[in-house]
Amino acid sequence: MTYHSSGISIDAVRLLSRIEQLGQIGRDGEDRLVRLAASDADKSGRDALVSWMKEADLEVAVDRIGNIFGIWRASSAEDQAPIMIGSHIDTVIDAGVYDGCYGVLSGLEVIQSLRSAGFVPSRPIVVAAFTNEEGVRYTPDMMGSLVYAGGLPVEEALASVGTDGTVLGEELARIGYAGSKEPGFLKPHAYVELHIEQGPVLEKAGVQVGAVENLQGISWQRITIEGVANHAGTTPMSLRADAGYAASRVISFLRDRAASSPTPTVATVGCISFEPNAVNIIPSRAVFTVDLRDPNEDRLQAEEAALADFLIELAAAEKVTIATERMARFTPVTFDRAIVKLVEAAAEQRGLSSMRMTSGAGHDAQMIARICPAAMIFVPSIGGISHNPREFTPEADLVAGANVLLDVVSQLASKQ
């Protein structure tokens, strides 16, 4: 594939202004950005996005899981599979303003800039905002794109009960985003997602653009350890069945194994609780989560097996019982090589440095990659900070990434 520059650039002022405006929607009484999926704040963010799509003269469609699509149908490309670009606009609690939103708003900006410049695509171009990528209020995360790709039945997803007891389908209807389109109604020709890195690799390397070639597999488990509650002062150490201590052994095992491995495997215990949770009582129960990630499926399976073996040994040694529950499991994704090369070529044409890299976080792109060629573009995150109000990417990098996206989309949407 021969690369030809589009010669077009995005409207930087418009893009940055919309990022700022969307970043103010969903602020709570403590000025935290909290725009959880299908909440009132999410409705306000969706309303703003839809208004901008309509300003851009796009056809707006919403599917049954609440995914929003802004569709540019060129008259000469009606019967062609579209180029899809996008991400999500729901947030975590006390979020930064870029995660997800940058990709959606850049996608919208790419379409507007191409149209304004008189670009004639050979196929439709669609910007998508997928529902519940973060998975804070409803699980699993990346839900909207997973349903769209056929990986989760829509009825099952709509029946999801949130952390606040609400039902997703009912909440989508309440906020006016229970659409009529069946998920998957547009099958993309290709999908490209622009995102802040959410890690320190690009900044540390002094590189401006990441051409994301693969994405780590993710294994989430919930582990429950049952011991015996007893008096903290009168029970000898040798006679304890201490669920809390057993949990600490698992945490140490995971940390030591990952830290000593030459592979990029990472392991995290992010949630933990003890019962009865009293200062002077040996814990009778410990419940905690384990997050394992690796870009290689064989290695990820090996880590899962090593943990399972350790839990069997631990249960016998500490006189406790241990149960595991799988919360989520996603295999690693290898992105489309041709699109990755287009990202590198676009960066070079713009005078930007680039590098190939792995995404350590999950993204909607990994779900859409199930149904079409896909890839991602990263721009630096200062300090690697994300899911945090201090999340920051300089304006120059935001604009550069959006221009690379524009060039890649123009290539994909041009007649070959």
Side-chain angles (χ1 to χ4, degrees):
M1 180 183 294
T2 302
Y3 180 84
H4 299 285
S5 172
S6 68
I8 305 168
S9 291
I10 60 117
D11 184 329
V13 172
R14 183 168 57 198
L15 172 62
L16 297 173
S17 173
R18 285 175 175 168
I19 291 173
E20 181 179 358
Q21 290 178 65
L22 188 55
Q24 294 307 310
I25 296 174
R27 297 280 170 178
D28 66 9
E30 301 174 36
D31 198 37
R32 302 181 307 170
L33 179 56
V34 185
R35 207 164 50 237
L36 305 186
S39 64
D40 289 340
D42 188 30
K43 170 182 168 52
S44 296
R46 288 165 172 265
D47 288 349
L49 175 62
V50 168
S51 71
W52 291 327
M53 287 177 171
K54 290 180 177 178
E55 282 179 22
D57 199 26
L58 301 185
E59 174 189 332
V60 178
V62 181
D63 69 12
R64 293 178 60 209
I65 197 63
N67 298 324
I68 302 172
F69 303 91
I71 307 168
W72 176 23
R73 297 186 191 272
S75 59
S76 60
E78 282 289 337
D79 59 345
Q80 299 295 310
I83 305 301
M84 188 175 287
I85 46 183
S87 193
H88 64 97
I89 66 167
D90 66 306
T91 74
V92 297
I93 297 170
D94 202 13
V97 301
Y98 304 107
D99 180 1
C101 304
Y102 170 52
V104 174
L105 296 178
S106 293
L108 175 58
E109 180 56 41
V110 162
I111 293 176
Q112 284 193 266
S113 296
L114 288 173
R115 292 189 75 169
S116 296
F119 177 81
V120 180
S122 62
R123 55 183 68 250
I125 304 177
V126 177
V127 57
F130 292 105
T131 295
N132 191 42
E133 193 272 352
E134 295 292 3
V136 176
R137 192 181 185 198
Y138 304 97
T139 57
D141 56 350
M142 297 169 284
M143 180 189 283
S145 53
L146 178 62
V147 171
Y148 197 82
L152 178 68
V154 63
E155 296 297 345
E156 182 178 333
L158 292 172
S160 297
V161 178
T163 56
D164 53 1
T166 57
V167 177
L168 175 58
E170 295 174 359
E171 286 293 274
L172 286 172
R174 183 183 66 82
I175 68 171
Y177 283 92
S180 59
K181 297 287 187 181
E182 286 298 323
F185 74 101
L186 291 172
K187 187 179 186 303
H189 173 74
Y191 177 81
V192 187
E193 182 168 350
L194 173 62
H195 210 283
I196 61 168
E197 182 195 344
Q198 299 181 281
V201 175
L202 288 173
E203 184 194 21
K204 186 176 180 180
V207 175
Q208 295 162 293
V209 174
V212 184
E213 59 182 348
N214 57 15
L215 192 149
Q216 293 198 109
I218 302 174
S219 171
W220 283 2
Q221 298 179 61
R222 180 180 291 109
I223 298 178
T224 301
I225 301 179
E226 301 281 359
V228 178
N230 218 328
H231 197 291
T234 63
T235 309
M237 301 301 288
S238 61
L239 298 180
R240 298 182 178 207
D242 187 339
Y245 172 68
S248 74
R249 289 276 306 275
V250 178
I251 296 170
S252 294
F253 169 80
L254 292 168
R255 171 78 181 190
D256 292 346
R257 183 176 172 87
S260 63
S261 172
T263 72
T265 301
V266 292
T268 305
V269 172
C271 302
I272 190 167
S273 63
F274 289 162
E275 293 180 14
N277 201 35
V279 66
N280 60 349
I281 301 176
I282 299 165
S284 60
R285 169 182 283 199
V287 181
F288 57 98
T289 58
V290 173
D291 178 322
L292 295 171
R293 304 192 188 205
D294 195 286
N296 179 277
E297 175 64 18
D298 290 340
R299 287 199 303 260
L300 186 57
Q301 289 183 18
E303 294 306 312
E304 291 173 317
L307 173 59
D309 290 343
F310 179 77
L311 293 177
I312 292 171
E313 297 172 4
L314 180 67
E318 296 301 325
K319 302 182 289 290
V320 295
T321 59
I322 302 178
T324 61
E325 172 194 353
R326 174 168 286 183
M327 300 168 63
R329 181 59 160 83
F330 300 118
T331 57
V333 173
T334 299
F335 287 128
D336 183 78
R337 291 183 179 181
I339 302 178
V340 173
K341 288 180 180 178
L342 279 180
V343 174
E344 292 175 313
E348 181 180 6
Q349 188 70 30
R350 294 271 178 179
L352 303 167
S353 57
S354 69
M355 63 181 285
R356 293 195 178 192
M357 61 189 304
T358 296
S359 172
H363 295 285
D364 291 311
Q366 78 187 80
M367 302 306 172
I368 304 303
R370 299 181 179 197
I371 58 174
C372 71
M376 295 189 70
I377 304 166
F378 277 175
V379 293
S381 293
I382 301 304
I385 297 171
S386 185
H387 286 184
N388 185 305
R390 293 188 295 119
E391 173 183 275
F392 180 70
T393 295
E395 291 183 353
D397 290 330
L398 295 171
V399 173
N403 278 324
V404 169
L405 177 66
L406 182 149
D407 290 347
V408 171
V409 169
S410 69
Q411 291 287 301
L412 293 171
S414 296
K415 292 181 180 180
Q416 302 299 316

